[in-house]
Amino acid sequence: QEQLVESGGGLVQPGSSLTLSCAASGIAFSGDAMGWFRQVPGKEREFVAAVRWPMNRIYYADSVKGRFTLLKDRAKKTVSLQMINLKPEDTATYYCAGRLHWIVTYADAAQYTYWGQGTQVTVSS
């Protein structure tokens, strides 16, 4: 059975860096897309970054372009989110997401089938 496991969250000061990691396991997993979303209590899940494996393309939300970098390894089924120059508004629970079959809208959380448990990122002085 497919499973996603996140790690790397923590408490950091504004302007610092942090890297989140996600690993997918399961012999049946060969997904179309993997990505990262974040969520603040009381708000909708927000798209951060994703990779479309068949096209080898990476997509970023406008709010993180130039600051976040998605590092991927399809063979190892891992996606890492390298974050620099973190801001207080980046504070959220970050979730790794995946979808096995052909995805329609990569930035739509409802398109994803598998979710990790979430890892908390807090940016505060």
Side-chain angles (χ1 to χ4, degrees), residues 83-104:
M83 306 180 292
I84 65 171
N85 193 24
L86 284 163
K87 305 175 181 180
E89 52 263 43
D90 294 318
T91 296
T93 301
Y94 285 70
Y95 295 92
C96 182
R99 180 180 170 92
L100 178 62
H101 299 292
W102 186 264
I103 201 166
V104 178

Side-chain angles (χ1 to χ4, degrees), residues 26-37:
I27 60 174
F29 187 84
S30 57
D32 180 73
M34 291 181 66
W36 288 92
F37 290 76

Side-chain angles (χ1 to χ4, degrees), residues 31-91:
D32 180 73
M34 291 181 66
W36 288 92
F37 290 76
R38 63 188 183 186
Q39 187 171 23
V40 175
K43 296 186 179 296
E44 299 293 327
R45 288 187 297 272
E46 178 188 10
F47 170 74
V48 177
V51 56
R52 294 289 306 279
W53 293 118
M55 306 86 153
N56 195 34
R57 293 177 182 176
I58 299 174
Y59 306 88
Y60 297 98
D62 289 339
S63 60
V64 305
K65 286 181 179 178
R67 298 190 300 118
F68 291 11
T69 302
L70 191 147
L71 306 176
K72 58 184 177 62
D73 190 326
R74 189 175 188 179
K76 296 181 179 179
K77 303 176 183 179
T78 60
V79 289
S80 297
L81 189 66
Q82 183 178 1
M83 306 180 292
I84 65 171
N85 193 24
L86 284 163
K87 305 175 181 180
E89 52 263 43
D90 294 318
T91 296

